[in-house]
Amino acid sequence: MTGPAARIASVPEREYRRVRGVGALRGHGADAAHPPAQLRRQRVSEGEQRDAAVRCDAPRAGPIADELAPARERTARLVIRDGVA
């Protein structure tokens, strides 16, 4: 096992129990786009490992970086100026 799956597998079970408890107290997910941690862990640990369906090669990376540049600059200003993390 390598990559994210290996890092997830290295987390002690007691930490997963703690996260599940905290999730239950808080109502699990942060928002609709952020599923509960235990569901993400379950998907990674039990799911079949496959190669990415979409690859970001050099011809695609440039336009994506251009599109994200304004947001990156705004975020950097917030973090540097306001200490938002």
Side-chain angles (χ1 to χ4, degrees), residues 4-82:
R7 288 192 296 277
I8 290 170
S10 72
V11 176
E13 184 58 37
R14 69 180 180 279
E15 177 62 10
Y16 289 118
R17 286 193 303 271
R18 186 192 71 77
V19 169
R20 283 191 296 271
V22 169
L25 289 172
R26 292 184 180 168
H28 295 286
D31 56 44
H34 192 138
Q38 67 270 20
L39 296 181
R40 293 191 311 273
R41 175 188 178 253
Q42 179 181 355
R43 177 69 181 113
V44 170
S45 65
E46 295 175 2
E48 177 186 344
Q49 300 297 312
R50 294 179 279 181
D51 289 335
V54 177
R55 300 205 183 255
C56 186
D57 54 10
R60 290 182 179 181
I64 292 170
D66 294 343
E67 182 179 340
L68 295 175
R72 186 182 311 110
E73 291 170 11
R74 283 192 306 275
T75 302
R77 278 196 299 278
L78 284 171
V79 169
I80 291 168
R81 184 189 66 209
D82 301 335

